[in-house]
């Protein structure tokens, strides 16, 4: 992979990380998917940044369980699902095509199926920090 593409992955990783951190404060931004994007970009962009990110408390608190066990807390699941619903609702109400609306409804049903049956729900771990 070229150095320019790796550099772009790193830049996108830091942007996603920044928005993910903002998501801790602002309830309208979903933290977990943004941190997953950051992790993906760091893996593709730089082994050094990948190791650094996986060593942070942020990664361990929000992503480690999902990456290792394919599990999330109920709060994480609901945050992602509701944010995605809002994003899907925008084109659903703007567009007039019944075909597109039907596809969006199918996406929503599949999304809920996947989160309910394919991703385990675990209790939120309270850390003594």
């Amino acid at each position: 992979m070229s150095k320019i593409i790796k550099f772009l992955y790193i830049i996108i990783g830091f942007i996603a990380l920044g928005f993910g951190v903002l998501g801790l404060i602002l309830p309208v931004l979903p933290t977990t998917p943004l941190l997953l994007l950051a992790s993906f970009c760091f893996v593709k962009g730089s082994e050094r940044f990948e190791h650094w990110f996986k060593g942070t408390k942020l990664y361990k608190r929000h992503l480690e369980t999902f990456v290792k066990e394919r599990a999330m807390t109920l709060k994480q699941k609901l945050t992602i699902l509701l944010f995605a619903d809002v994003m899907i609702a925008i084109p659903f109400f703007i567009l007039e095509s019944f075909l597109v609306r039907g596809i969006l409804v199918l996406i929503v049903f599949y999304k809920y199926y996947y989160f309910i049956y394919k991703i385990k729900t675990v209790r939120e771990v309270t850390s003594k920090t």
Side-chain angles (χ1 to χ4, degrees):
M1 194 179 316
S2 77
K3 288 185 179 186
I4 293 172
I5 293 174
K6 285 186 176 195
F7 181 73
L8 286 174
Y9 273 118
I10 293 168
I11 295 298
I12 293 168
F14 276 107
I15 291 170
L17 176 61
F19 280 116
V21 170
L22 275 176
L24 294 171
I25 302 163
L26 303 172
V28 295
L29 286 174
T31 301
T32 306
L34 290 166
L35 295 180
L36 282 170
L37 176 61
S39 181
F40 172 80
C41 290
F42 290 144
V43 166
K44 292 286 190 178
S46 164
E47 197 172 311
R48 188 174 121 215
F49 284 119
E50 174 192 0
H51 290 298
W52 165 77
F53 184 61
K54 287 183 177 180
T56 63
K57 286 183 183 180
L58 192 63
Y59 176 86
K60 291 179 183 195
R61 184 169 183 211
H62 294 279
L63 293 181
E64 193 169 52
T65 304
F66 177 73
V67 171
K68 287 183 178 177
E69 302 172 19
R70 301 277 307 162
M72 295 177 140
T73 65
L74 183 59
K75 181 181 176 183
Q76 288 173 321
K77 282 184 171 186
L78 290 175
T79 301
I80 292 169
L81 288 169
L82 293 175
F83 181 76
D85 285 343
V86 170
M87 293 296 109
I88 290 171
I90 293 169
F92 182 85
F93 289 113
I94 290 175
L95 301 174
E96 294 181 15
S97 169
F98 289 111
L99 177 63
V100 172
R101 284 182 174 180
I103 291 170
L104 291 174
V105 168
L106 290 174
I107 289 170
V108 169
F109 280 120
Y110 180 75
K111 177 176 58 87
Y112 276 92
Y113 161 78
Y114 190 83
F115 272 75
I116 292 169
Y117 295 108
K118 299 293 184 185
I119 299 174
K120 264 191 316 191
T121 304
V122 293
R123 288 186 177 192
E124 193 161 344
V125 179
T126 55
S127 61
K128 297 178 181 179
T129 309

